């Protein structure tokens, strides 16, 4: 696919606890945000000052439909509660639409390295939580500084 002219929109797939928090922060900072969730009730987590758009539906299907604003987004953050959906959304964003910044939440830490090779940044709650616990307990190895 030809590379689309980029808009300044960030697309967030999944408006759960993490997605809504990110959407509220980005919106407060003046960013343009489109947030997608298959459950209309989830949008209640958006703050009253949220100034972006929200779309009800399956974010993976919406990615495939090549909706103009999604295809032209400069960032896509896939934070549904389903690893397979997040991976699919991230791969379509990166490989089909060539979105600059793509981030996917993965519950399964074993899949992390694979997607980093495709230029998809991954966040893994289990790994991040383990690091925090180790820090509090003062155990484990120090993270490298560079
Ligand atoms: P949380 O685990 O609190 O971060 O919530 C995850 C959110 O992702 C929930 O609001 C779900 O309704 C939403 N979700 C799960 N799968 C999809 C999907 N395929 N498309 C859009 N939203 C989804």
């Amino acid at each position: 696919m030809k590379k689309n002219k980029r808009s300044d929109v960030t697309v967030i797939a999944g408006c759960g606890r993490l997605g809504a928090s990110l959407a509220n922060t980005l919106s407060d900072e003046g960013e343009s945000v489109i947030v997608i969730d298959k459950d209309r009730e989830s949008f209640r987590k958006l703050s009253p000052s949220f100034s972006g758009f929200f779309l009800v539906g399956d974010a993976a299907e919406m990615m495939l439909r090549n909706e103009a604003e999604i295809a032209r987004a400069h960032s896509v953050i896939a934070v549904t509660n389903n690893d397979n959906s997040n991976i699919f959304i991230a791969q379509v964003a990166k490989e089909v639409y060539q979105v600059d910044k793509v981030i996917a939440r993965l519950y399964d830490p074993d899949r992390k390295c694979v997607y980093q090779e495709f230029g998809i940044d991954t966040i893994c709650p289990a790994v991040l939580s383990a690091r925090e616990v180790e820090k509090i307990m003062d155990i484990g190895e120090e993270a490298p500084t560079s």
Side-chain angles (χ1 to χ4, degrees), residues 13-19 36-39 42 45 57-60 79-82 85 105 107:
C15 189
R17 290 153 292 190
L18 178 56
I36 307 167
D37 201 289
K38 60 183 183 182
D39 179 3
S42 299
K45 296 185 194 73
D58 184 323
V79 285
T80 75
N81 49 6
N82 182 304
S85 298
R105 168 170 65 183
Y107 286 110

Side-chain angles (χ1 to χ4, degrees), residues 67-137:
E67 304 211 358
E69 282 307 320
I70 298 175
R72 292 172 52 235
H74 75 77
S75 307
V76 169
I77 305 173
V79 285
T80 75
N81 49 6
N82 182 304
D83 278 9
N84 289 334
S85 298
N86 291 342
I87 286 163
F88 180 83
I89 292 161
Q91 281 189 313
V92 173
K94 197 78 202 173
E95 287 165 31
V96 181
Y97 303 131
Q98 288 137 46
V99 172
D100 302 323
K101 191 87 196 151
V102 179
I103 305 170
R105 168 170 65 183
L106 294 179
Y107 286 110
D108 180 358
D110 292 343
R111 300 165 95 166
K112 195 173 158 75
C113 326
V114 181
Y115 296 98
Q116 274 169 339
E117 280 171 26
F118 292 110
I120 295 167
D121 285 308
T122 53
I123 49 159
C124 185
V127 173
L128 296 177
S129 304
R131 271 194 216 140
E132 281 305 302
V133 172
E134 285 163 13
K135 213 159 67 183
I136 294 165
M137 303 284 289

